[in-house]
Amino acid sequence: MSIINSLIISLIIIIPLGFYGYIKYQFNSLKDDTYDYLLERYNKDQIQKIETQLTIGSYHYVAFVTFKDEPEHIYEYRRIDGKIKQGTPLPSEEKAPKYKHLEPNNR
């Protein structure tokens, strides 16, 4: 096998693994940062679940948070300018009181 063939095969293996590793790192980093952010505001017993996902339409990494006292609502958090911020839900003024964990900038 020639050096060029070995190099091509190595790149075929290394590039996807590097991409996969980068995405996993982004997911774990966002999840950890979101958890730390939430712990500044809530008790850890209030947080039911944090799941991270790459949104296809906008290519943003997003953390979806469910609170134990409000399992019917899912809150979205993103890293914006290096800080974790709540994204959605963005309810109307009439519906805002239904959400227990809306942050002031989302009301």
Side-chain angles (χ1 to χ4, degrees):
M1 186 185 278
S2 74
I3 293 176
I4 293 176
N5 286 342
S6 296
L7 182 62
I8 291 172
I9 290 171
S10 296
L11 289 176
I12 288 172
I13 293 170
I14 291 172
I15 290 173
L17 286 176
F19 189 65
Y20 174 78
Y22 175 77
I23 290 173
K24 288 296 276 182
Y25 169 78
Q26 290 296 325
F27 285 156
N28 290 332
S29 173
L30 179 60
K31 187 174 186 175
D32 291 345
D33 291 350
T34 301
Y35 186 69
D36 291 345
Y37 173 85
L38 293 172
L39 287 181
E40 293 173 6
R41 292 154 178 74
Y42 304 103
N43 184 309
K44 68 179 180 179
D45 296 334
Q46 292 177 283
I47 302 166
Q48 179 174 326
K49 176 173 54 172
I50 300 174
E51 295 180 332
T52 53
Q53 188 174 358
L54 177 63
T55 59
I56 302 301
S58 62
Y59 297 107
H60 286 113
Y61 294 94
V62 179
F64 294 103
V65 177
T66 306
F67 294 93
K68 288 183 181 176
D69 65 341
E70 198 177 17
E72 70 278 4
H73 294 118
I74 298 173
Y75 294 83
E76 176 185 293
Y77 290 84
R78 293 181 182 203
R79 185 180 290 116
I80 300 172
D81 297 328
K83 296 181 181 181
I84 301 298
K85 298 188 180 198
Q86 190 179 73
T88 60
L90 299 170
S92 63
E93 285 188 38
E94 310 84 58
K95 292 183 180 181
K98 294 180 184 179
Y99 295 88
K100 298 177 184 178
H101 302 284
L102 271 185
E103 295 186 3
N105 60 333
N106 282 9
R107 289 180 188 240

